[in-house]
Each structure stands twice: as C-alpha cells, then as structure tokens.
Amino acid sequence: MAEDLTVTRMGYGAMQLAGPHVFGPPADRDAAVAVLREAVALGITHIDTADFYGPHVTNQIIKEALHPYPDSLHIVTKVGALRDAEGNWPQALAPEQLRQAVFDNLDHLGLDALDVVNLRVGGLDRPTPGSIAEPFTVLAQLQQEGLIKHLGLSTVTAEQIAEAQSIAPIVCVQNFYNIANRADDELIDSLAAQSIAYVPYFPLGGFSPLQSDKLRSVATRLNATPMAVALAWLLQRSPNILLIPGTSSVAHLRDNVTGAMLTLSKDELTELNSVAS
Ligand SMILES: NC(=O)c1ccc[n+]([C@@H]2O[C@H](COP(=O)([O-])OP(=O)(O)OC[C@H]3O[C@@H](n4cnc5c(N)ncnc54)[C@H](OP(=O)(O)O)[C@@H]3O)[C@@H](O)[C@H]2O)c1
C-alpha cells in the first residue's frame, strides 16, 4: 500500500469476532483469540477492524490475542460510524467524534500510532454522495499530529475519493464488492492505475453469503468450494485488490487462505465474469 506498508494480499477481516449482529462479546472468546493467532501463524500481515465492532470488543480481542504485535503486522481500522440501540450503523463524522474514535482505537488496540485509518462515509452497502472535505481534513490533521500513519476511505464514490486526494494522499479504498456485486469495476481499474489498494468488503457476500449456480458449477469442476473460487477470482481480478474475508472459524480461515491460491484459467474467468449479470 505504501513503502512502509507492505502487506500480504490475503488479509483477515475481524468483524465476525464480535457477538451476534456485531454486538457484544463472542460466545467463545478463546475461539476468537485462536482465529487471530492462526491468521498470524499462517503469515497474514493485514488485519481489518473498527472500534465500533462490538463496540470495542473486536479491538480488545485483537490486543489480547496479538499484542505486542509483530513488526510485520499492519492493523487497519476505520472511523466515521457508531452502533445505535437498534443495531443500525449511524454516521459519526463530526470532528470531535472522529478524534475520539482515533483515541479509542489507539487505546483499545494498545498502539501509539495507527497504521491506516479509513474514513467510513456511506451506509453498510453503498456510498452516500456529498462533500467529505470536513471529516477527511480532521483525519489529515491527526496524521500530521503523528497519530495516524496512512489514510484510506471506505464506502465512497469516485468523486469523494478525488476530493479527499486534494487534501491528503490515500493508500486504500474499502468498498462493497464481490464477484456478484461489481458496481466498482471502473473505480478498481482507476485506483490500480494510481497504485492505490482496493479492499473489497463482503468478499464472500457478508451477511448474505454468495449464492450462484455458475459459481457452484465452476467450483465443482475444480473440486473447490464456491468461497475459494470467489476469493481466487478477486485476486485475479486486479493486482491492487487485497482480501479481508471475515470468519469466526479457524477451519474457514485455513480454507480461505488455501482456497484463494487457486489459479483460474482464462475460460473459467470468462465464465465467472457473468455471475454478476
Ligand atoms: N467498511 C465497511 O463498511 C465494512 C462493512 C462490512 C465489513 N467490513 C470488513 O470486511 C470484512 C469482510 O466482510 P464480512 O466478514 O462481513 O463478510 P465476508 O468476508 O463476505 O463473509 C463472512 C461470512 O462468510 C462466512 N465464511 C467465511 N469463510 C467461509 C468459508 N470458508 N466457508 C463458509 N463460510 C465462510 C463467515 O462465517 P463463519 O464465521 O462461520 O466462517 C461469515 O458469515 C469484515 O470482517 C470487516 O473487517 C467493512
């Protein structure tokens, strides 16, 4: 993502480590700790999180499992949202909310500076258009103060990315994208041309796991799982794509790391390109 920020293309998304609906503690905290330790043991150097997962729970488990962190490990967090009592994800983009969120992340992760902070702007599955100059400037100031090393954006439009880049450089964009939801195809290519990482969230469909006959049929022919094919397709889609599939299971984590390495032929890629249509 940047010279001091080299990560494995296979990362891990920690959202599934909180309790049901990303609220409260997980039923089995030891199992959550085991997943994180296995991720690092498998060589993963990129973990995605947010202090509003739980809230606070995911970051606290990451700290318990992995602190003091290996030098190679990069934890990417995001700010700009909260959880409310109904389980919604309202925006929290006011300057004081953003500052507090950065301090909460530092505290709960046990860090002096955050490797990457994404400004999360839109809703759970789509951007909310409009200026992001004010909140992004707050993060740029926190970067100047040394509390954040690199900046990124999440759930944003191409226009919002351009606006942010006129304020400070970004290293990554994290938006909703997978083999069946390809609204960002053009954006991915334009970010690749700028050497900016694109990190799709819900790579396996998130709360609604991917369901596709075409995906299943290719997977069956390759003696692989649909999840493995979906991850391998993303890695072959563009060199700037980094993966952060989420799981609360060590077995699924291992499957995902192995499965993503599957090589898809040109014909298989062509066939899979029509999953979205
Ligand atoms: N920026 C944002 O607004 C935003 C929004 C959502 C998510 N995110 C980030 O993106 C990451 C990835 O998204 P996600 O975790 O929501 O969705 P995801 O990676 O698309 O899918 C996770 C779901 O797939 C299941 N799964 C994972 N591997 C599997 C396997 N090998 N076989 C069968 N099922 C499998 C998981 O269940 P098990 O636990 O049973 O494995 C979980 O239910 C999150 O962890 C989070 O860090 C960011």
Side-chain angles (χ1 to χ4, degrees), residues 13 15-16 48 120 154 174 202 204-206 244 246-248 252 256:
M15 188 175 83
Q16 306 291 341
D48 183 77
R120 179 190 184 278
S154 179
Q174 187 177 124
F202 295 157
L204 301 173
I244 51 162
T247 180
S248 53
H252 285 170
N256 293 345

Side-chain angles (χ1 to χ4, degrees), residues 24-264:
D28 186 343
R29 195 177 176 98
D30 290 346
V33 166
V35 169
L36 287 160
R37 290 187 178 153
E38 182 67 9
V40 171
L42 290 169
I44 285 174
T45 64
H46 173 197
I47 293 180
D48 183 77
T49 186
D51 203 55
F52 47 82
Y53 296 158
H56 318 310
V57 171
T58 299
N59 279 351
Q60 287 162 343
I61 296 176
I62 290 173
K63 184 178 170 189
E64 177 185 332
L66 302 176
H67 194 278
Y69 305 111
D71 288 344
S72 57
L73 183 67
H74 297 287
I75 299 176
V76 176
T77 191
K78 61 192 86 68
V79 296
L82 291 174
R83 302 305 303 282
D84 67 17
E86 285 76 46
N88 301 314
W89 307 71
Q91 286 182 326
L93 295 170
E96 267 326 297
Q97 289 176 306
L98 293 172
R99 267 192 172 266
Q100 189 57 49
V102 166
F103 283 111
D104 288 347
N105 273 284
L106 288 167
D107 182 23
H108 297 143
L109 289 168
L111 289 167
D112 297 327
L114 299 166
D115 278 334
V116 185
V117 175
N118 286 319
L119 179 68
R120 179 190 184 278
V121 181
L124 199 54
D125 62 359
R126 76 196 60 185
T128 312
S131 173
I132 59 168
E134 184 183 279
F136 193 72
T137 300
V138 174
L139 292 195
Q141 280 162 357
L142 289 161
Q143 182 181 35
Q144 294 288 319
E145 290 168 31
L147 300 179
I148 300 174
K149 294 182 189 167
H150 299 281
L151 298 172
L153 295 167
S154 179
T155 337
V156 280
T157 63
E159 292 72 27
Q160 288 168 330
I161 292 169
E163 185 185 33
Q165 287 178 304
S166 72
I167 297 167
I170 59 161
V171 295
C172 56
V173 170
Q174 187 177 124
N175 273 6
F176 175 37
Y177 182 85
N178 58 44
I179 195 168
N181 296 278
R182 298 185 50 181
D184 270 357
D185 268 329
E186 223 177 281
L187 179 63
I188 290 170
D189 297 335
S190 91
L191 292 173
Q194 300 174 65
S195 300
I196 292 174
Y198 182 88
V199 188
Y201 67 75
F202 295 157
L204 301 173
F207 299 115
S208 319
L210 290 171
Q211 300 284 345
S212 154
D213 289 341
K214 279 179 196 157
L215 185 57
R216 256 190 302 272
S217 125
V218 172
T220 305
R221 248 180 290 141
L222 292 171
N223 199 19
T225 65
M227 299 300 187
V229 175
L231 293 175
W233 178 85
L234 281 169
L235 283 185
Q236 285 180 242
R237 165 64 185 79
S238 181
N240 65 329
I241 290 189
L242 304 177
L243 297 185
I244 51 162
T247 180
S248 53
S249 142
V250 166
H252 285 170
L253 175 70
R254 289 184 185 139
D255 288 350
N256 293 345
V257 170
T258 312
M261 292 193 295
L262 192 71
T263 303
L264 300 165

